Amino acid sequence: VNLKRALAVLPRARRSAMKFVSTRGAGEAAKVYTLEEAVLKGWADDGGMLMPAELPELDVRGLAEAEPSHTYKSLCRHILGLFTDKSVISESDLGDIIEDAFRPFDIEEVVRLQAIRDENENGAACYVAELWHGPTLAFKDLSMQVLCGFMETLLAKQQRRLNLVVATSGDTGASAIAGVLGKRHLSVTVLYPSPKFSSISVEQEEQTLRHAGEPNVTVVNCEGTSDDLDVPIEACFGDLAFKEAASIGSVNSVNVFRVIMQVVHYVYCWLQLRRAHPERRGLLEVSFYVPSGGCGHISAGILARAMGLPIRTLFACVNANDVLHSLLQTGHLDSNPNAVPTLAPSMDIVVPYNLERILFLMSGRDQAKVRAWMTRWKKEGKVQLGGEERAILAETMGLRSVSTSDEQILSTIAQVHRECGGYVIDPHTAVAAAACLSSSSSPDDGVPRVIMGCAHPGKFTGAVSKALGNRPASDWMPLGDRAHPAVAAILALQERAKGGDDLLSRETPGVHHFVKGQDWERTLRGILTSSDM
């Protein structure tokens, strides 16, 4: 199977205004969406996920030749420009959006690559891509800050407002809140799982609650798992009349703009590795190890590879909630009714909704097949793939998977700290690092490996401290990071906890609560219709 042909890659010479289609649309009359519609809608009207109708081809050789002049910001302008209609967002507007988006980041380069193993007889060189230098210390900030700026610009031109509805398993909610603060045309409603029903860390909960009193922020604490939160939200988005009347949109990785934005991560890392390995000039191949929960980030890697980036292998790295791993290994997906709480809570997902995008790409954009798969998944919690389809995922798309246990998470955090001069990684990054550092996990024969670093370790002090012999966070927190406002807030939270101040167990002003047995959909509709910026 020719991947570019299957994924409808559009040669550079044939580029036109980008259009978007649903993964489920049927027949020649299937709806086509403009850029503005795709960004502001979130879900397609038929319940599917939006994808570019055609993919632009990356000028990889041109990027390589211009390598010294490319920063993360300039790559954002270049890659987003491939998908952006200049009559909608001008080059000047796009440049301003990107500059504003990365102003809150604590390093000028935005993303930093940290070597954790040199190439030797035991394996390939390994790097951590620190994607977490934004305002909430999570990789979500990279795409969220740009997306919210993009939305604000579109909404201002249309003289309308939009309420973003977000279900978070840990990081997305706080990142979305940071993205809308100070915006005139955007508000956000965040649903997050109660710690009684999930493994959300106290640091993640504190970040989610911190701005609950802001006029354009609504926060809902829910007695359920992150998958439970998706049910009332999907129902609201599925009611097109309500969606229009309540003016709601999405910034979860349901939103295709976030997936496109994450393509930048892969291109930037590839360029950085070309600099690090001058002996391997030319079109250096790289393998990526990607912590995978909702599977938006790994979907972006598939797009980057299809657009021409020389990626050898994409490893989808999962925790004990391993439905994607099961599908790739056996061809059979059977969603468990309940997520298993793990030390990597943002990945405690048993319905990885971006799997629909992966199936769409794997099937050669066969919307009828995707529709049938998703209908069965929704009714029975099952998906079954044949041998040829699994071969396309593995060989044509370069997709592999690895599952990591909590015990491996802890031992990997300790190993990296011990072997890398005290370098500390968070539990989600450790899921991927465990796979990357294992000599048996990769057939890549010396190809450099990049671990996508999801979050700053300070967001998960309990797990990290446990891995490091129960040392307090103040003992292992990197000195250079302590000036970051979010890190300082985490250390202050730790100090308050020592004094017995259990801040998060108290009623927080402005926070709504969904309890077991309540009609969550009806209650959410009430919140969204009464929301007023």
Side-chain angles (χ1 to χ4, degrees):
V1 178
N2 183 294
L3 183 60
K4 287 189 176 182
R5 187 180 303 117
L7 303 189
V9 175
L10 184 65
R12 291 186 298 276
R14 290 180 48 221
R15 279 199 61 227
S16 56
M18 184 61 63
K19 301 295 182 184
F20 296 82
V21 296
S22 170
T23 51
R24 303 184 196 178
E28 295 182 2
K31 184 169 182 178
V32 176
Y33 297 82
T34 65
L35 174 72
E36 305 101 300
E37 290 171 328
V39 170
L40 298 177
K41 275 182 175 291
W43 296 93
D45 290 344
D46 60 11
M49 306 185 82
L50 292 169
M51 288 289 280
E54 296 177 296
L55 288 178
E57 184 178 2
L58 273 177
D59 182 4
V60 178
R61 293 188 182 279
L63 287 171
E65 291 170 2
E67 173 193 314
S69 65
H70 272 303
T71 64
Y72 188 87
K73 296 176 186 177
S74 69
L75 277 176
C76 283
R77 287 193 294 271
H78 175 78
I79 292 170
L80 293 180
L82 298 177
F83 293 89
T84 303
D85 186 340
K86 292 179 176 57
S87 67
V88 177
I89 296 288
S90 68
E91 289 186 15
S92 175
D93 282 343
L94 184 59
D96 290 343
I97 290 167
I98 290 167
E99 285 297 323
D100 289 343
F102 297 127
R103 197 162 281 122
F105 283 62
D106 72 332
I107 57 173
E108 178 61 29
E109 63 265 41
V110 182
V111 169
R112 180 176 290 161
L113 226 59
Q114 172 69 43
I116 61 169
R117 186 177 74 186
D118 294 330
E119 184 175 2
N120 55 42
E121 66 278 4
N122 296 320
C126 296
Y127 301 82
V128 173
E130 295 180 351
L131 305 175
W132 42 255
H133 286 276
T136 74
L137 302 174
F139 87 100
K140 309 283 178 74
D141 291 334
L142 287 163
S143 58
M144 195 73 74
Q145 290 288 315
V146 178
L147 172 57
C148 288
F150 204 93
M151 284 181 157
E152 178 76 0
T153 301
L154 290 176
L155 291 166
K157 291 182 177 182
Q158 297 176 9
Q159 297 186 331
R160 55 177 288 226
R161 295 179 175 181
L162 192 68
N163 188 358
L164 305 175
V165 186
V166 177
T168 183
S169 56
D171 293 328
T172 305
S175 186
I177 291 170
V180 306
L181 290 177
K183 300 289 193 294
R184 297 178 58 191
H185 300 271
L186 282 173
S187 59
V188 66
T189 299
V190 174
L191 281 65
Y192 80 94
S194 165
K196 296 178 181 178
F197 295 84
S198 71
S199 299
I200 189 172
S201 74
V202 66
E203 294 87 3
Q204 288 177 308
E205 186 180 22
E206 191 276 336
Q207 283 192 334
T208 304
L209 295 174
R210 187 182 304 165
H211 299 289
E214 294 292 333
N216 64 336
V217 175
T218 301
V219 178
V220 184
N221 173 294
C222 304
E223 291 186 353
T225 67
S226 59
D227 291 306
D228 294 332
L229 314 184
D230 290 330
V231 176
I233 291 177
E234 190 171 341
C236 289
F237 276 95
D239 183 339
L240 299 185
F242 176 81
K243 179 181 177 183
E244 184 71 21
S247 190
I248 57 175
S250 172
V251 287
N252 285 80
S253 56
V254 164
N255 194 298
V256 68
F257 186 95
R258 276 192 55 197
V259 177
I260 291 169
M261 177 65 198
Q262 289 170 346
V263 170
V264 181
H265 307 170
Y266 294 89
V267 180
Y268 181 76
C269 290
W270 177 74
L271 285 174
Q272 292 300 301
L273 285 180
R274 289 189 80 256
R275 294 177 188 175
H277 293 272
E279 77 283 1
R280 292 185 171 183
R281 303 302 273 188
L283 297 184
L284 171 73
E285 283 193 308
V286 178
S287 288
F288 288 90
Y289 291 73
V290 188
S292 300
C295 294
H297 207 178
I298 198 75
S299 298
I302 294 170
L303 291 183
R305 192 173 188 267
M307 291 167 65
L309 194 68
I311 296 174
R312 171 75 67 85
T313 311
L314 287 160
F315 288 89
C317 304
V318 301
N319 59 18
N321 299 287
D322 59 355
V323 291
L324 177 63
H325 180 57
S326 175
L327 180 68
L328 294 176
Q329 296 299 310
T330 69
H332 182 67
L333 183 153
D334 192 349
S335 291
N336 298 316
N338 297 304
V340 177
T342 74
L343 295 175
S346 297
M347 296 160 58
D348 290 348
I349 294 172
V350 295
V351 184
Y353 45 84
N354 278 288
L355 177 60
E356 180 166 346
R357 286 190 164 112
I358 296 174
L359 294 175
F360 176 72
L361 297 172
M362 179 270 293
S363 68
R365 311 170 76 85
D366 189 328
Q367 294 163 311
K369 268 191 177 181
V370 173
R371 199 162 56 252
W373 279 322
M374 301 316 295
T375 298
R376 186 183 181 199
W377 194 9
K378 182 173 283 293
K379 288 182 177 179
E380 305 174 20
K382 300 178 186 296
V383 172
Q384 183 68 49
L385 301 181
E388 183 179 352
E389 291 159 338
R390 288 172 56 205
I392 293 172
L393 287 169
E395 305 305 326
T396 308
M397 298 171 70
L399 189 59
R400 304 283 196 280
S401 64
V402 183
S403 178
T404 299
S405 68
D406 274 1
E407 291 75 17
Q408 290 171 305
I409 289 172
L410 293 174
S411 64
T412 301
I413 292 171
Q415 176 188 353
V416 171
H417 183 265
R418 182 177 62 252
E419 296 178 358
C420 304
Y423 187 67
V424 187
I425 58 176
D426 86 287
H428 303 78
T429 305
V431 168
C436 180
L437 295 172
S438 170
S439 59
S440 63
S441 69
S442 174
D444 283 353
D445 299 327
V447 171
R449 307 175 185 180
V450 176
I451 300 157
M452 292 304 204
C454 293
H456 189 280
K459 296 194 74 167
F460 305 93
T461 57
V464 174
S465 289
K466 183 178 180 180
L468 300 181
N470 294 314
R471 293 164 59 190
S474 57
D475 195 21
W476 52 257
M477 190 75 73
L479 292 175
D481 296 350
R482 299 184 186 209
H484 191 296
V487 175
I490 288 168
L491 292 173
L493 182 68
Q494 297 283 318
E495 288 300 311
R496 293 204 304 275
K498 286 180 185 177
D501 184 0
D502 191 9
L503 175 67
L504 302 183
S505 68
R506 298 200 304 262
E507 289 293 319
T508 303
V511 176
H512 299 262
H513 295 269
F514 285 0
V515 299
K516 281 283 186 184
Q518 183 182 14
D519 187 338
W520 288 10
E521 180 187 338
R522 180 179 179 182
T523 308
L524 179 59
R525 285 172 180 263
I527 290 172
L528 296 176
T529 53
S530 64
S531 179
D532 185 7
M533 292 174 62

